[in-house]
Amino acid sequence: MTKLITIDPSEARKKSTIKSKDIPVNAYVSNPKKEAKRYGQENLARIYRDMVYIREFETMLDRIKKEGAYEGIEYNHRGPAHLSIGQEASAVGQAYHLSPDDFIFGSHRSHGEILAKSLAAIAQLSEDDLMRIMESYMEGAPLRVVEQFTEGSVKDLAVNYVLYGTLAEIFSRENGFNKGLGGSMHAFFAPFGVMPNNAIVGGSADIAVGAALFKRVNRKPGIVIANIGDGSMGCGPVWEAMMFAAMDQYRTLWDKEIGGSPPILFNFMNNFYGMGGQPQGETMGFGMLARVGLGVNPEAMHAERVDGYNPLAVADAVERKKKILEEGLGPVLLDTITYRFSGHSPSDASAYRDKAEV
Ligand SMILES: Cc1ncc(C[n+]2csc(CCOP(=O)(O)OP(=O)(O)O)c2C)c(N)n1
Ligand SMILES: [Mg+2]
């Protein structure tokens, strides 16, 4: 790439100050009447349903880890299970406006994101497309099992298929979506845009930005989201990814036809805890995570803090940010606040926090 930027000393040495833009914090205003109109009763009910599915799925895993049984069915799961009980709305709200062309990459705590994105894809895809995907994926192996206990529509079948394939993966079974080789922290289901999660804290940031660049350079549709934790803001790879995504050259030097900056959204699922440490107020100095955008580029990464306890606030933010990314004006940073009621993992007694807070 030819360097075309001439350094003008009279500009570089001029006296001035850097102005920063305001970062919206929990700006969404609920309006049930408007929301009912905007989403419709059926979609609102589905948003709630999906949150309930995730809560029950994670509660089941919690029981199995702690009691060795769920609803009278005994099982010994020896692998990990970082649960997102309490974080359901942030995952379901995010998935609402995403299509199967949009990719999500996750962390060690991403079961809920996998389910939410898959359930949104099921709502959007036709029955024919769903059948084609389920028949062809792993030569139909997970489908053959799910068919045995599902009555109802193709969509019902697809919902059970996703719950089963994800759970089988977490349990390292051959019928898991990744043949049990990835397990809880590396599960994925590419046909729905659910890309691999990552046990390395912050590791998904770089991989996701690579996927976003791939989409941009190859003119593929869709945006890419890196779902990472608030603790990951302390990790080098996250900063590398943000710097890489924010390079000016995409817009100043690259062929205009390519379409600008990679469509990457760094979504920090901010549950206010690392394992036991607290990023806000203890292990970091950002005050509010969304502030970090100010240090990255003049657009402050279009950063916002969003209330992840309101799925509609998250859906609204993702819809707006998706437009920005599609216009090549990324990257975007979201500080999606949420809270995990479960311990870091089922063996964690949460001794580092007050019961009153939980
Ligand atoms: C690079 C790296 N360092 C440390 C760990 C151990 N570890 C696993 S989860 C975790 C806390 C992560 O906190 P956060 O990013 O906020 O995600 P949360 O667990 O809250 O979802 C740590 C330190 C790891 N997996 N990878
Ligand atoms: Mg956290």
Side-chain angles (χ1 to χ4, degrees):
M1 184 127 357
T2 326
K3 184 169 181 264
L4 294 168
I5 304 157
T6 310
I7 309 301
D8 175 356
S10 67
E11 266 307 306
R13 302 186 68 218
K14 200 159 70 187
K15 185 173 180 177
S16 71
T17 54
I18 296 171
K19 302 262 187 288
S20 58
K21 54 173 274 196
D22 288 349
I23 306 282
V25 174
N26 299 323
Y28 185 81
V29 180
S30 290
N31 182 329
K33 262 196 193 138
K34 271 197 192 146
E35 287 161 334
K37 223 173 164 186
R38 180 171 173 189
Y39 292 94
Q41 193 179 339
E42 200 181 312
N43 290 323
L44 290 172
R46 183 173 65 75
I47 287 170
Y48 181 71
R49 180 204 72 172
D50 293 358
M51 295 196 297
V52 172
Y53 275 146
I54 296 169
R55 172 66 60 95
E56 194 59 27
F57 187 91
E58 298 282 68
T59 301
M60 165 195 58
L61 287 171
D62 199 40
R63 297 245 167 90
I64 283 176
K65 285 297 286 184
K66 288 179 181 155
E67 299 158 23
Y70 170 75
E71 304 268 319
I73 300 168
E74 290 184 10
Y75 191 73
N76 177 14
H77 170 52
R78 295 191 184 156
H82 300 88
L83 307 177
S84 58
I85 295 172
Q87 302 191 182
E88 299 84 358
S90 56
V92 173
Q94 176 185 97
Y96 187 82
H97 290 293
L98 299 181
S99 85
D101 285 332
D102 299 314
F103 296 167
I104 58 165
F105 289 82
S107 71
H108 55 286
R109 196 181 305 287
S110 285
H111 303 157
E113 294 150 19
I114 297 173
L115 297 181
K117 178 80 161 72
S118 298
L119 293 167
I122 292 167
Q124 292 167 31
L125 290 167
S126 70
E127 297 199 338
D128 284 353
D129 283 343
L130 287 171
M131 277 319 292
R132 237 189 324 272
I133 289 167
M134 293 189 290
E135 283 289 1
S136 60
Y137 196 80
M138 288 168 57
E139 284 154 8
L143 178 63
R144 296 287 90 81
V145 178
V146 176
E147 279 172 338
Q148 293 168 32
F149 60 83
T150 307
E151 285 165 27
S153 69
V154 169
K155 301 244 173 189
D156 295 333
L157 185 66
V159 169
N160 280 348
Y161 176 82
V162 158
L163 295 170
Y164 172 75
T166 306
L167 183 60
E169 184 56 37
I170 291 167
F171 285 168
S172 302
R173 313 296 289 209
E174 202 178 341
N175 278 333
F177 279 155
N178 319 107
K179 302 208 166 172
L181 298 170
S184 163
M185 293 191 279
H186 303 96
F188 60 98
F189 189 69
F192 290 164
V194 178
M195 294 306 178
N197 300 309
N198 200 318
I200 298 169
V201 171
S204 275
D206 311 82
I207 296 168
V209 84
L213 189 60
F214 173 87
K215 274 191 185 293
R216 185 57 89 225
V217 171
N218 294 289
R219 279 80 154 171
K220 303 272 185 206
I223 64 162
V224 181
I225 299 183
N227 280 317
I228 45 185
D230 47 329
S232 81
M233 191 57 102
C235 295
V238 172
W239 285 84
E240 290 175 26
M242 292 193 299
M243 297 305 115
F244 187 88
M247 288 197 291
D248 278 335
Q249 61 175 296
Y250 306 118
R251 289 188 239 159
T252 54
L253 300 178
W254 286 37
D255 208 337
K256 288 263 172 298
E257 251 179 48
I258 291 174
S261 305
I264 175 80
L265 194 167
F266 297 98
N267 180 62
F268 291 84
M269 289 294 194
N270 183 358
N271 59 14
F272 296 92
Y273 285 90
M275 285 172 79
Q278 294 183 276
Q280 183 172 324
E282 183 190 359
T283 65
M284 316 255 172
F286 47 51
M288 275 199 208
L289 192 150
R291 181 194 312 276
V292 169
L294 286 168
V296 174
N297 66 6
E299 289 137 18
M301 299 178 78
H302 310 274
E304 272 186 55
R305 168 171 279 192
V306 182
D307 180 5
Y309 257 78
N310 180 349
L312 302 184
V314 182
D316 171 77
V318 170
E319 187 181 31
R320 288 184 289 105
K321 303 303 183 186
K322 195 174 166 179
K323 267 194 209 109
I324 292 171
L325 293 171
E326 283 169 348
E327 286 165 11
L329 300 175
V332 166
L333 184 159
L334 281 182
D335 170 4
T336 303
I337 53 167
T338 181
Y339 195 83
R340 61 165 167 77
F341 297 138
S342 36
H344 171 72
S345 60
S347 59
D348 167 24
S350 293
Y352 46 84
R353 56 182 177 177
D354 281 345
K355 286 233 155 45
E357 178 188 286
V358 178

